[in-house]
Amino acid sequence: MSASQSLQRRSSVYSRPSASGPMGHQSFFVQAPIPAGVPRDPRPLKERGFQNTMAEELQAYLTQNNFEMDMKHSLGPNTLKSPTQKDFDYMFQWLYGRIDPAYRFQKNIAAEVPPILKQLRYPYEKSITKSQIAAVGGQNWSAFLGMLHWIMQLSKMLERYEMGDFDDACAQAGVDVGGDRIIFRFLSGAYKTFLSTPPSDDPEADDEEFQAQVRPYIEAMAAEFERGNKAYAEDLEVFEAANAALLRQIEEAERSVPDTTKLDKAHVILVEDIKKFEEWVPHGEKKTHKFETQNESLRKDIEHWDEEFVNAAHEKKALQKAVDEQGISIEDIDRMNGERERLQKGLEVAKTRLEEARRKVTEREAEASSKLTDLEAVVDEYNSLCYRVGLLPSTATNAKGEEYELHLSLTDAPAFSSSQLGATQYGELDRLLADASTGYHPAKILSLDLRGSVKSQLNGLRIKINKRRNAARDNDEENRRLLDELFEAIDDKKNEVAALEHRVRAAEEEFEKTKEVTSTQKLASDAQIEKMEKELAKMRAGLTESVQLMEQREMNTNIEYEQLTLRANALREELHTEIERMLNDIIKFKVHIQKSLEDYEGFIVEEVEQELSLEEEAIEDTIKTDE
């Protein structure tokens, strides 16, 4: 394995492929291409308050995560307000290291930042140029502060994902991320182990070592899946038991319920009968009410005529009796005639007074009718205002279930029947009268107590509306103040635009001068291009033959490559077979050596024991001789 291959194997997934070297792993940040054009940053980066907020959050994040200890570089209290180029370089490298710990900065920071921002999918990376990166201070610092703040938020999000902060949201959405979390822990742990393992020259030994290091992660992943499967199996048993119980209940319910077809037919017939009865009931009620009204009127008329008939009969009997009891003379007749003339004159005077009274009553009735019309208009206006302020109907916002609709409690009889027709008809009441002789009480003609509960509730609503109006007025004043500030900012921007327009005009003049020079150079270039095109046509004619030869050589090379591949595969098989045979021989030789060593060890032990026994015998003989 070569050194370049070893380095490529231990590179991070965030590493970017070199233009001259072999292709590395592609970053998983690479997605669909960003739309063309420079997007506008909606964040208020120019505002001092927003800059201070971002600087405080970034300062706190750097301090909490030991930036100065990791980078061996200290940050002052005003570093994030007016930083140096070195401060920016260290902060950017440290923040990106939180996202991709395996990445190593090898080039100038101005060349490293743009491709990193492009891979991170920073939305506004096109607005940052290399020249600005080389000098981050001054007016451009707000854009770089926003970029560092965005990278900090991305790092926080990745840390929260690793800690499982988003698992609860997935669980609430009904998505089970337990299996994904197990796989993520296995892949992250194995990948970190892979990156931390130094490569060796022997690929097979390297693979065996890596397999041994990864085996604990595989076993842990299998154990976690086993525990999850046990939980799922228990849930499945519970669900199956509940399903079986529900199936039994359904079967019992189906057996206890009668034939649904007959019930459906009976239900359809009953529904049709109900509709017919509902259609007939209003008509029957109208007819019943009409007949009841007619019967009541006829009954009253009969009672009235019966009373008049009885009174007339009694009067006739009294007069007849009076005439019979006393005789009538000529003087009585003259007296009666005079009395009759006097009564007739009194009757004419009474009729005159009656006509005058009727005229006054008519005027009063007209005035009452006008007042009634005005009252009805006021009631309609009241209901309209209640509807506009949300008090009608009772389900409106401000009604709170209370009934605020106002209507007049009047009869449906035509107005002024007694005065206009000149007679009182029993069974037909005047519209302004509660009955034949009395009118309406002022407190009963309206359906609601306006001076009581309604007035207090309307006063409460008025207080609430005044509070809301005052709040809206305060909000309007605040909006006006903000609008004035915006106008001031717009005036400042207009002044800046005027200055920029002046610069644009100067740039346009410079552009016209440059355009003239460019046009002259273009004419010369066109002539040169025509000359080169002619030479290119000649070269293409010769290149066609070369291309054909190269294609033929490519075909021959591909055929030779396939043959070499087949030979390499065959040679690999032979080598594997030979290696297996050699391993078997080595194992057999190892076993033979071990057996020989064991036999030799036993032989040595026997020899030592024999020598020890001989020495003991010699010592004993020496002792006996001395004695």
Side-chain angles (χ1 to χ4, degrees), residues 34 49 99 114 129 150 168 193 196 233 235 245 332 426 502 524 528:
I34 302 175
I99 298 173
T129 61
W150 184 87
D168 295 336
T193 302
S196 62
D235 293 340
D332 295 331
Y426 295 97
H502 178 71
Q528 185 69 20

Side-chain angles (χ1 to χ4, degrees), residues 10-124:
R10 293 295 181 263
S11 62
S12 171
V13 293
Y14 290 94
S15 301
R16 297 182 299 280
S18 175
S20 60
M23 294 294 291
H25 295 286
Q26 187 179 10
S27 172
F28 57 73
F29 284 104
V30 178
Q31 300 175 2
I34 302 175
V38 180
R40 181 178 176 275
D41 194 342
R43 296 174 295 179
L45 298 177
K46 296 294 184 181
E47 294 184 2
R48 287 294 181 184
F50 190 72
Q51 292 180 8
N52 293 335
T53 302
M54 291 192 298
E56 291 174 359
E57 293 179 0
L58 188 57
Q59 182 80 30
Y61 184 75
L62 295 174
T63 304
Q64 292 172 1
N65 293 278
N66 300 325
F67 166 79
E68 296 181 353
M69 185 179 296
D70 293 342
M71 302 303 294
K72 304 297 188 292
H73 181 75
S74 61
L75 298 177
N78 296 324
T79 300
L80 293 175
K81 294 182 180 179
S82 57
T84 63
Q85 184 67 35
K86 188 176 182 181
D87 293 335
F88 171 76
D89 295 349
Y90 279 129
M91 285 188 290
F92 183 85
Q93 292 177 7
W94 185 82
L95 287 172
Y96 187 68
R98 302 282 294 180
I99 298 173
D100 184 7
Y103 184 77
R104 296 293 178 268
F105 288 86
Q106 300 175 356
K107 301 179 182 178
N108 187 11
I109 193 68
E112 293 274 7
V113 171
I116 289 177
L117 295 180
K118 195 169 185 179
Q119 281 193 336
L120 293 179
R121 303 290 293 175
Y122 182 58
Y124 318 110

